[in-house]
Amino acid sequence: MDRRGQLINRVTQSFEANFGQSPQLIISAPGRVNLIGEHTDYNDGFVLPCAIDHETIVAISPTQGELVDVIACDYDQQDQFGINSAFEHQTDEWKNHVRGVAASFKARGLNIASARIAIGGNIPQGAGLSSSASVSVALGKAIATVNGFDDIDETQLALIAQQSENDFVGCACGIMDQLASARAVDGHAMLLDCRSLDFEPIAIPEELSLLIIHSGVKRGLVDSAYNERREQCETAARHFGVSALRDLDEQRLKDGKGDLDDVSYRRARHVVTENKRVLDTAEAFKAKDFQAISKLMSASHQSMRDDFEITLPAIDQLVELVARIIGDSGGVRMTGGGFGGCVVALVPHEEIQAVETAVATEYVTPDGTPAIIYRCKPANGVTIVKS
């Protein structure tokens, strides 16, 4: 049985054991890895993520009454809340994601029915692979489907999931993670305009394999400096009199620095240059220009390290190690919000073993365990597995 089949079985069995019935509906939503375009999404910029074949499974059945009962298979924990009750923040983070999605429907004037829900996933936690967005998108699709909200499309599901994060969970994230989980296309990255929400599927060159290497440093967006970085970007945007840093180019950035503090200026410089790198990388993918891909991903990592200051020594070491092996035949950079998590690498097929061997022999995680390497495939967005 493949990885998805094992996960579906685990969630289904938990649902049946706790609720004494089979679920009416099973939904899958993938995690995502961002190939390039970090911290540009909430600045109305451009990103280039792809969904990965690690996912969240949600099993659901509507019930009678006023309650939503939820089982978290990965934690062996339960939650229960009223469909008409106000959102109340919970100590267990996973509960806030479930309650937040329900609250987001309510905030849009959509009354949901009571339900029984089981949730499980195989996306690494704290790795910057959007496990939380995957949970929220899968829950949103499950709730919308069992309640007959047929006019809610995948983009609206992503917006509901983002609202849950922003207004209820407490993370000021942009739309990238949720939209990638909702609308990704198998075999492709997604060139996404985070202002208009328009996107173009961009085929990932078939000569390259997608590797994700976990640094062993777990991270949490809400508790990290993520929100601080966003505030610094907003400070810079106000200084330049624009609604978002998306509206600046490099020349205007240089000419208009004035009395803007150096930290906010460097944050803005990262965003402005990263937006251009995203667009250039999409063109490099189309042209299969591997040297350009290598240079652009390297420049992105340097900008995250020096201007946005979100990498760590362990992450930098991993990037340097992989880059030494693949040279300009692929690309490597940190991925995710920063302060830990993963490195993403586009590696020629013939170099996979060399990369994996080097990581195993030359890199040690902070707790002394080997780094975990995930060989991933670009996947589809949210889907109904069983109805």
Side-chain angles (χ1 to χ4, degrees):
M1 185 180 297
D2 64 11
R3 183 167 59 226
R4 167 177 277 189
Q6 292 173 355
L7 179 57
I8 291 172
N9 274 359
R10 179 160 62 86
V11 175
T12 301
Q13 289 171 8
S14 179
F15 189 100
E16 293 172 347
N18 283 277
F19 301 130
Q21 63 178 121
S22 296
Q24 175 179 306
L25 181 72
I26 297 177
I27 300 291
S28 166
R32 71 96 187 94
V33 64
N34 193 24
L35 302 180
I36 195 165
E38 228 61 74
H39 289 266
T40 51
D41 59 344
Y42 56 78
N43 289 291
D44 282 0
F46 299 96
V47 291
L48 192 68
C50 71
I52 58 174
D53 53 343
H54 287 72
E55 59 200 327
T56 297
I57 295 293
V58 168
I60 187 171
S61 288
T63 62
Q64 300 297 314
E66 301 292 321
L67 298 175
V68 175
D69 289 291
V70 191
I71 303 296
C73 306
D74 301 325
Y75 307 113
D76 194 26
Q77 295 179 359
Q78 302 181 24
D79 191 25
Q80 184 182 77
F81 59 92
I83 57 175
N84 296 312
S85 60
F87 176 85
E88 294 182 359
H89 202 275
Q90 305 296 301
T91 302
D92 296 318
E93 191 65 29
W94 72 268
K95 296 178 182 178
N96 293 317
H97 291 288
V98 181
R99 291 172 179 238
V101 170
S104 296
F105 278 98
K106 184 178 179 181
R108 292 166 177 254
L110 297 169
N111 296 317
I112 66 173
S114 58
R116 292 169 171 171
I117 300 171
I119 305 170
N122 55 29
I123 303 169
Q125 302 291 302
L129 300 179
S130 296
S131 56
S132 59
S134 172
V135 168
S136 298
V137 169
L139 280 166
K141 181 68 171 179
I143 291 172
T145 303
V146 298
N147 283 277
F149 300 149
D150 298 330
D151 57 342
I152 294 180
D153 64 13
E154 278 69 27
T155 297
Q156 290 173 304
L157 286 176
L159 290 168
I160 288 170
Q162 183 196 24
Q163 182 182 15
S164 171
E165 294 266 11
N166 291 173
D167 296 349
F168 301 106
V169 177
C171 178
C173 65
I175 190 61
M176 172 182 64
D177 298 352
Q178 295 80 10
L179 204 55
S181 185
R183 304 216 65 161
V185 176
D186 184 28
H188 291 69
M190 170 190 285
L191 176 59
L192 171 62
D193 181 335
C194 294
R195 171 170 285 169
S196 67
L197 303 188
D198 292 335
F199 69 94
E200 177 187 357
I202 305 291
I204 298 175
E206 64 272 15
E207 293 88 350
L208 300 175
S209 291
L210 178 61
L211 295 186
I212 300 171
I213 307 168
H214 198 315
S215 68
V217 182
K218 291 189 176 182
R219 46 172 293 280
L221 285 180
V222 175
D223 297 325
S224 73
Y226 182 99
N227 291 341
E228 178 188 44
R229 294 300 188 279
R230 182 163 186 162
E231 291 169 3
Q232 290 163 341
C233 290
E234 291 169 352
T235 295
R238 286 192 298 270
H239 170 84
F240 287 96
V242 295
S243 61
L245 293 178
R246 150 75 173 271
D247 299 311
L248 293 180
D249 59 24
E250 291 183 67
Q251 192 60 52
R252 185 176 176 188
L253 180 71
K254 293 176 182 177
D255 294 344
K257 181 179 186 297
D259 61 354
L260 180 65
D261 67 276
D262 185 62
V263 171
S264 296
Y265 177 76
R266 287 188 292 109
R267 304 298 189 250
R269 183 168 61 189
H270 164 73
V271 173
V272 171
T273 58
E274 186 82 341
N275 274 325
K276 186 175 187 304
R277 284 188 288 267
V278 171
L279 299 177
D280 290 346
T281 301
E283 292 304 312
F285 275 14
K286 294 176 183 178
K288 295 188 177 183
D289 186 340
F290 303 118
Q291 290 186 347
I293 293 169
S294 175
K295 291 179 181 178
L296 289 161
M297 292 181 73
S298 176
S300 174
H301 185 81
Q302 292 173 32
S303 182
M304 290 187 289
R305 182 191 64 203
D306 301 335
D307 277 350
F308 225 65
E309 297 180 289
I310 55 174
T311 75
L312 298 173
I315 294 286
D316 297 335
Q317 179 190 352
L318 268 177
V319 168
E320 292 168 6
L321 189 159
V322 175
R324 188 187 74 222
I325 296 170
I326 65 176
D328 60 4
S329 61
V332 58
R333 60 186 284 277
M334 188 204 77
T335 186
F339 314 103
C342 291
V343 164
V344 62
L346 293 170
V347 179
H349 306 313
E350 62 273 15
E351 299 288 356
I352 292 175
Q353 191 60 57
V355 169
E356 293 180 339
T357 299
V359 171
T361 57
E362 299 181 41
Y363 177 79
V364 180
T365 65
D367 65 1
T369 59
I372 301 174
I373 301 177
Y374 303 93
R375 295 190 187 186
C376 294
K377 295 180 180 179
N380 277 317
V382 64
T383 56
I384 296 175
V385 178
K386 171 196 169 185
S387 59

